[in-house]
Amino acid sequence: MLYLIGLGLGNEKSMSVYGLETIKKCKKVFLENYTSKLESKNFDFRFVDVDRNFVENFNVLEAKKEDIALCIIGDVFGATTHISIYNECKEKNINVEVINNASIITAVGISGLSLYNFGKIASIPFENKNIKIPIEILENNLKINAHTLFLLDLDPEKNKFLSVKEGIEYLEKNNVKGKILACSRLGSKDFMIKYGEMEKIKKINFGNGPYCLIIPSKKLHFVEEESLKKWEL
C-alpha cells in the first residue's frame, strides 16, 4: 500500500493523528523537501528526505510489496506531481490512500478574503525577466472580479526563497500598481501579513519564508473590506 500523506503547515505537530498512526506502520517513509518548508522536523519516526527528481520518478511498484508513505508538506495535491503518482497507482492496481491536510491555498483565508472569490493561482519564479504568465493570470482574474494569489518561488533544500520585495518588483516592472497583501509563513504561529501600497510593503522585513502575495479584486464584499483593515499599514 502507498500512503500519500499531507503534513500540513507549520511544524511536525500539524500532522493529523491518523497520518501519524499510518506512518508508524509503514516500512519506508519518504519526505519530499521541495514544495515548501516546515519550521522543524522533529518527528518521532525515521524518514528519508527526497528531492523533486526522486518524487517525479517515484517507483510505485515497491508499494506492492510493503507499506510505504510519501509525506508532502501542506496538502497532498498542492503539486501536480502527486496526482500523477496517485493516477499511476490506480492504473497499475496498486493500493493507494490519501490523507489530506491544510495547504497554502486554504491558509490564505486568514487574510479575510473569501476563498470563493479567488481566481486562478499564479507562481512567480526566481528567473522571471521574460515571464508573463503571472501577469496574464492577474489580468484575467481582475476581469471576473477575483482575487489573485501569487506563490513566490522557493528552494527549501538550499534555503532559498523569492522575497516579498523581489515579487513586488517583478509586478512593478510589469506595470502592476496599487495595494497588495504580502504574507510570510502562513500556517505557522509567527505568520505575518501586511496590506498597503506596494512601495511601502516592499520595504518591510517579513522574516523567513515561504512568502506569497495577494492582489485583491477591485470589488470587495463588506466583510472582506473590514478584514483587510486589520492588516493595513
Side-chain angles (χ1 to χ4, degrees):
M1 171 81 90
L2 175 63
Y3 296 94
L4 300 175
I5 302 174
L7 300 182
L9 305 170
N11 55 40
E12 66 280 351
K13 294 180 181 179
S14 301
M15 190 189 317
S16 68
V17 173
Y18 182 50
L20 180 58
E21 290 175 347
T22 301
I23 285 172
K24 287 185 175 180
K25 73 177 185 180
C26 290
K27 296 294 183 181
K28 294 180 181 178
V29 181
F30 300 106
L31 172 60
E32 60 97 308
N33 62 11
Y34 64 90
T35 53
S36 192
K37 182 181 180 181
L38 292 173
E39 290 177 340
S40 56
K41 297 180 182 178
N42 298 320
F43 300 112
D44 57 351
F45 56 82
R46 290 186 176 183
F47 63 90
V48 177
D49 264 317
V50 293
D51 59 16
R52 182 187 298 273
N53 183 63
F54 180 94
V55 176
E56 289 179 347
N57 295 283
F58 192 80
N59 182 12
V60 299
L61 294 177
E62 286 190 34
K64 277 193 171 183
K65 304 174 185 176
E66 54 191 1
D67 289 337
I68 296 175
L70 174 59
C71 301
I72 295 113
I73 299 171
D75 184 60
V76 172
F77 297 123
T80 53
T81 307
H82 308 128
I83 188 62
S84 298
I85 292 173
Y86 179 83
N87 290 341
E88 186 178 358
C89 286
K90 288 297 183 180
E91 291 167 5
K92 295 181 177 178
N93 294 316
I94 295 170
N95 291 328
V96 58
E97 182 176 345
V98 175
I99 301 176
N100 295 104
N101 210 316
S103 77
I104 185 63
I105 298 171
T106 53
V108 293
I110 198 170
S111 66
L113 297 175
S114 172
L115 296 180
Y116 293 105
N117 295 333
F118 275 83
K120 189 174 180 179
I121 298 170
S123 295
I124 301 177
F126 288 116
E127 301 299 326
N128 54 49
K129 185 176 180 181
N130 298 310
I131 301 296
K132 297 296 181 182
I133 292 178
I135 304 304
E136 293 172 4
I137 290 174
L138 170 63
E139 291 172 347
N140 290 331
N141 285 344
L142 289 174
K143 288 177 183 177
I144 59 172
N145 292 317
H147 313 310
T148 303
L149 169 62
F150 294 98
L151 302 178
L152 304 191
D153 207 354
L154 71 169
D155 186 348
E157 194 173 10
K158 297 179 181 178
N159 199 31
K160 182 181 177 183
F161 299 85
L162 188 74
S163 69
V164 167
K165 182 174 183 287
E166 291 169 325
I168 290 177
E169 287 176 343
Y170 164 78
L171 294 173
E172 289 177 328
K173 288 175 183 176
N174 286 277
N175 301 313
V176 179
K177 301 176 182 178
K179 289 187 173 182
I180 195 168
L181 271 161
C183 316
S184 59
R185 302 177 304 284
L186 289 184
S188 301
K189 285 185 178 180
D190 67 340
F191 75 93
M192 185 174 175
I193 302 176
K194 294 294 181 182
Y195 176 57
E197 295 294 334
M198 291 183 181
E199 191 62 34
K200 292 182 179 179
I201 294 291
K202 71 180 184 181
K203 294 178 182 178
I204 297 172
N205 180 2
F206 282 85
N208 295 325
Y211 312 101
C212 66
L213 302 172
I214 304 171
I215 293 184
S217 160
K218 300 300 181 184
K219 185 179 180 181
L220 298 175
H221 186 276
F222 71 89
V223 174
E224 293 179 313
E225 289 180 340
E226 287 299 315
S227 298
L228 288 181
K229 289 179 181 177
K230 67 179 176 287
W231 312 117
E232 197 160 17
L233 295 177

